[in-house]
Amino acid sequence: MIAATLTEQPGILKSAALLPPRLSLGSTMLFHGYSKLTKEGVQQHSPMFEQMGFKPGRPWVVALGLTEVVSGVSAILGVATRLTALAVLVTQAVAIGKVHASKGFSNQEGGYEFNLALVGTALTLLLRGPGSLSVHSVLESRVKRRELRRFKLLPRQRKSSRLLDLLG
């Protein structure tokens, strides 16, 4: 009965389709960001960042950790998803270029396989946005409802709607 209900209502499946990529990317970024922000994480990563040319290393580690935590929470909630995706794309491009590319593809040998999976997921969210099961969707429906009530006469209201569309 559940399978029949889902196949009869493809909108439910479409709505839920972006939830797994958001949750997997978000939890991964949250985990890696938090691990960098702990005292041990900062101490462990700072020398590595300085070796890569990011001096002094400590502020770069903290900035990256915060970026990853905020990106993770944002992806999980589905708010500002496109900004989150851009942040992930930038951090992973740097990680691949500075650390993983020289080690080849295999993740077991320190390669960029895992980073490439994160890039693919981030690209999906950049192109599609968070989907309808998200905080973004709730905010968007409220803004559009308000615009409809006021007949879309004020440019300020249209700007808030465009901003939401851009953030995805």
Side-chain angles (χ1 to χ4, degrees):
M1 181 167 166
I2 292 174
T5 304
L6 289 177
T7 56
E8 290 170 5
Q9 298 179 2
I12 293 172
L13 292 175
K14 259 184 148 173
S15 296
L18 291 170
L19 198 54
R22 275 193 9 238
L23 294 177
S24 65
L25 182 68
S27 59
T28 300
M29 298 310 289
L30 188 59
F31 172 79
H32 285 277
Y34 178 76
S35 70
K36 285 179 184 72
L37 292 176
T38 64
K39 185 178 179 181
E40 299 82 25
V42 171
Q43 289 173 349
Q44 178 186 3
H45 287 88
S46 292
M48 184 176 71
F49 273 57
E50 289 183 4
Q51 263 185 331
M52 291 186 291
F54 298 104
K55 295 180 182 179
R58 188 180 195 290
W60 285 100
V61 170
V62 171
L64 178 61
L66 287 173
T67 300
E68 289 178 340
V69 165
V70 170
S71 294
V73 171
S74 173
I76 289 168
L77 294 176
V79 64
T81 310
R82 288 191 168 98
L83 288 177
T84 293
L86 283 173
V88 171
L89 290 170
V90 169
T91 59
Q92 295 311 304
V94 172
I96 289 169
K98 292 279 190 178
V99 179
H100 302 285
S102 63
K103 299 173 184 171
F105 181 75
S106 175
N107 190 50
Q108 293 177 338
E109 296 172 15
Y112 57 88
E113 176 182 6
F114 178 68
N115 306 89
L116 196 59
L118 294 176
V119 165
T121 305
L123 278 172
T124 299
L125 296 177
L126 180 67
L127 296 172
R128 289 297 311 257
S132 58
L133 296 178
S134 63
V135 170
H136 171 82
S137 181
V138 172
L139 293 174
E140 185 177 48
S141 66
R142 285 184 181 174
V143 166
K144 297 215 179 199
R145 218 175 312 139
R146 190 176 339 128
E147 286 177 351
L148 286 173
R149 261 188 272 142
R150 296 184 183 171
F151 302 106
K152 299 183 183 181
L153 296 176
L154 300 175
R156 182 186 54 158
Q157 291 167 322
R158 287 193 302 259
K159 285 181 184 175
S160 62
S161 183
R162 284 190 209 125
L163 178 64
L164 274 172
D165 289 342
L166 178 67
L167 292 175

